[in-house]
Amino acid sequence: MDSSKKFLLQEKDIPTAWYNVMADMKNKPRPMLNPANKQPMKAEDLYPLFNKACSDQEFNTTDQWIEIPEEVREMYKIWRPTPLVRARGLEKLLDTPAHIYFKNESVSPVGSHKLNSAIAQAYYCKQEGVTNITTETGAGQWGAALSLAAKHFGLALAVYMVKVSYHQKPYRRSIMQTYGAEVIASPSMSTRAGKDIITNNPNYQGSLGTAISEAVELARTTPNCKYVLGSVLNHVGLHQTVIGLEAEKQMEMAGEYPDVVIGCFGGGSNFSGISFPFMRHNLSGERNTRFIAAEPASCPKLTRGKFQYDFGDEAGYTPLIPMYTLGHKFAPAHIHAGGLRYHGAGSVVSQLMQDGLMSAVDIQQLDTFKAATMFAQSEGIIPAPESSHAIAATIAEALKCKEEGVSRTILFNLSGHGLIDMSAYDQYLRGELTNFEYTPAPNL
Ligand SMILES: *Cc1c(COP(=O)(O)O)cnc(C)c1O
């Protein structure tokens, strides 16, 4: 029996193309709509806000593979390929017959998978002569990743950071500032969207939806400035497929193929990244893998949201996106998994969910920290609160295997480490963390 723990690839094995699942979907995601006239949008309609290459990728439902630019691959080499690890310690702790593997995206310089898309988006902006970019960030992982990518390609970056995280996670702010980005707590008085929200609710601690509104407004009112988004959109999920493409080769090295693939779920990018390359074999009829998105019980768009057109942001500036949503006015509870506090799911994932090609589970905050602690003690890595949702879902699957007396191969994505989230762990260890129930927004 192979007793290996880690499965490592070489630089030459970094994928040369991203996998575009839309090309293989029988039911393509419904198009975005222009909110003004409810007409389907085209790539050109996004050009004023986004770079052209990503706008084109957003609407590309025909090319199965999209080449990764050489400069992007070159920068991926800083930390890719990432390890695939057999979680033998966790298997032993759970005393489960399941084989558990995780793809370790926490080894990136910023500690999460977000850099996979940040580099691609900054590269395309630079190529197209853009000088300034702007974005939002929840817990700060996306902002940190984009700060590094922007600096590398010589772009000036302004980041709107959700206020609760700005104060709860000061080190992520410092990381962004160290890479040279400007960081603004959102809601802020620097945009009309922010001012309106503060006027109505002076104590509002912010949400990703609000921060998106502010960044979009800045991009619209600043010359030569583009907006970049770290999740939800199709092109972001596309860039993240390097995760699953590498994992596919590594599972082969391990001599196994996953029965279950699990990712935590904010807007869907890391879930898409680990899942889609394996899902292509389901779509072609060769395999029957189960895909599970793990979301917070307090922000359960896939398990309790509605599949309908909704805005991507709180102020209603973005196109209407066909998504599982809790309503764009939904104000999520202040859980520590800041990256999962988003009201909707991307349109590709929403369509796959609608078509029964994947499923979702929702997990309470205390269960995620319990799972995180078990993982830390058995595997040595302190996971991000977001990733801990995937770990909790994995543990539940592994325990089901034990109950049923069957062995399954489970693969999950470790989307990030939690070393900058230790104040959350502190609260957990002091017994001060609570669960949050989901309360539907009045407009849903
Ligand atoms: C941002 C983030 C997430 C959630 O975003 P997705 O787009 O759903 O992947 C999950 N884990 C980590 C570590 C993150 O930084």
Side-chain angles (χ1 to χ4, degrees), residues 11-63:
E11 280 180 7
K12 66 172 172 47
D13 301 317
I14 295 173
T16 53
W18 293 298
Y19 169 62
N20 179 18
V21 73
M22 287 194 282
D24 290 338
M25 287 167 70
K26 206 158 81 206
N27 298 326
K28 308 294 181 199
R30 293 179 212 181
M32 287 183 195
L33 301 180
N34 181 336
N37 57 16
K38 303 284 192 301
Q39 289 304 301
M41 294 181 68
K42 294 193 290 291
E44 300 86 88
D45 300 323
L46 292 186
Y47 290 176
L49 193 57
F50 293 92
N51 71 68
K52 290 195 180 64
C54 290
S55 304
D56 292 342
Q57 289 171 0
E58 190 63 23
F59 288 88
N60 186 332
T61 57
T62 50
D63 297 321

Side-chain angles (χ1 to χ4, degrees), residues 187-188 190-198 210 213-214 217 315 317:
S188 77
S190 72
T191 63
R192 203 200 68 209
K195 265 187 219 154
D196 286 353
I197 289 161
I198 292 173
T210 305
S213 303
E214 291 205 88
E217 186 179 326
Y317 287 164

Side-chain angles (χ1 to χ4, degrees), residues 327-349:
H328 64 282
K329 300 281 186 200
F330 176 70
H334 298 148
I335 52 167
H336 282 278
L340 308 188
R341 295 175 72 247
Y342 184 69
H343 67 272
S347 66
V348 168
V349 176

Side-chain angles (χ1 to χ4, degrees), residues 2-325:
D2 187 348
S3 66
S4 304
K5 171 101 183 142
K6 269 198 329 282
F7 300 89
L8 301 173
L9 297 168
Q10 316 273 311
E11 280 180 7
K12 66 172 172 47
D13 301 317
I14 295 173
T16 53
W18 293 298
Y19 169 62
N20 179 18
V21 73
M22 287 194 282
D24 290 338
M25 287 167 70
K26 206 158 81 206
N27 298 326
K28 308 294 181 199
R30 293 179 212 181
M32 287 183 195
L33 301 180
N34 181 336
N37 57 16
K38 303 284 192 301
Q39 289 304 301
M41 294 181 68
K42 294 193 290 291
E44 300 86 88
D45 300 323
L46 292 186
Y47 290 176
L49 193 57
F50 293 92
N51 71 68
K52 290 195 180 64
C54 290
S55 304
D56 292 342
Q57 289 171 0
E58 190 63 23
F59 288 88
N60 186 332
T61 57
T62 50
D63 297 321
Q64 198 183 19
W65 299 100
I66 293 175
E67 193 186 329
I68 304 176
E70 203 42 54
E71 285 176 65
V72 173
R73 280 190 87 233
E74 214 34 61
M75 209 179 159
Y76 280 170
K77 287 182 188 167
I78 294 176
W79 80 104
R80 306 207 70 84
T82 63
L84 178 85
V85 182
R86 171 94 182 258
R88 292 185 184 274
L90 183 62
E91 288 173 15
K92 191 161 161 222
L93 178 71
L94 299 172
D95 187 25
T96 174
H99 294 187
I100 304 174
Y101 292 82
F102 64 93
K103 180 69 169 159
N104 188 357
E105 290 295 305
S106 82
V107 299
S108 93
V110 295
S112 82
H113 69 287
K114 295 281 197 326
L115 203 50
N116 296 325
S117 185
I119 290 170
Q121 296 195 57
Y123 165 80
Y124 289 125
C125 285
K126 183 65 183 177
Q127 281 292 99
E128 294 173 20
V130 170
T131 55
N132 291 60
I133 56 176
T134 181
T135 194
E136 77 298 326
T137 194
Q141 287 109 328
W142 169 244
L146 194 64
S147 300
L148 170 53
K151 182 52 67 186
H152 180 81
F153 290 108
L155 302 164
L157 168 64
V159 182
Y160 287 92
M161 184 173 189
V162 176
K163 197 172 275 175
V164 59
S165 304
Y166 187 92
H167 296 298
Q168 260 181 9
K169 313 206 180 228
Y171 292 134
R172 285 253 166 64
R173 171 175 48 71
S174 319
I175 291 170
M176 291 184 263
Q177 290 165 334
T178 300
Y179 287 129
E182 182 194 355
V183 188
I184 308 129
S186 167
S188 77
M189 295 300 279
S190 72
T191 63
R192 203 200 68 209
K195 265 187 219 154
D196 286 353
I197 289 161
I198 292 173
T199 310
N200 288 331
N201 185 353
N203 293 323
Y204 188 45
Q205 290 301 294
S207 73
L208 273 175
T210 305
I212 294 173
S213 303
E214 291 205 88
V216 167
E217 186 179 326
L218 184 78
R220 282 189 173 163
T221 53
T222 310
N224 213 17
C225 178
K226 295 288 180 196
Y227 170 66
V228 287
L229 188 57
S231 184
V232 185
L233 294 179
N234 304 339
H235 65 266
V236 185
L238 172 78
H239 301 154
Q240 294 296 350
T241 58
V242 287
I243 301 172
L245 291 168
E246 286 179 7
E248 199 186 345
K249 288 187 193 165
Q250 289 162 307
M251 290 298 302
E252 220 170 280
M253 290 166 74
E256 301 214 51
Y257 191 90
D259 299 300
V260 187
V261 175
I262 298 174
C264 66
F265 199 97
S269 78
N270 91 89
F271 173 81
S272 302
I274 189 78
S275 297
F276 291 173
F278 292 98
M279 200 180 283
R280 86 181 193 275
H281 303 300
N282 277 26
L283 292 168
S284 69
E286 298 154 72
R287 295 279 183 178
N288 195 20
T289 300
R290 271 194 302 135
F291 299 92
I292 305 174
E295 61 182 7
S298 58
C299 193
K301 55 237 149 198
L302 291 171
T303 51
R304 301 182 62 184
K306 287 193 179 147
F307 184 52
Q308 61 184 36
Y309 274 100
D310 195 10
F311 291 106
D313 69 321
E314 169 142 12
Y317 287 164
T318 68
L320 288 164
I321 303 171
M323 48 160 61
Y324 274 89
T325 177

Side-chain angles (χ1 to χ4, degrees), residues 424-444:
Y425 280 88
D426 261 354
Q427 284 182 23
Y428 173 69
L429 294 171
R430 285 198 305 263
E432 291 169 5
L433 278 193
T434 56
N435 288 333
F436 291 96
E437 289 315 316
Y438 163 62
T439 330
N443 59 340
L444 194 77

Side-chain angles (χ1 to χ4, degrees), residues 358-393:
M358 56 173 279
S359 62
V361 293
D362 62 341
I363 297 170
Q364 292 283 0
Q365 177 159 261
L366 287 176
D367 294 333
T368 67
F369 277 89
K370 184 174 174 216
T373 305
M374 289 167 78
F375 185 73
Q377 292 180 3
S378 57
E379 292 296 323
I381 301 171
I382 296 186
E386 291 85 357
S387 318
S388 306
H389 289 69
I391 298 171

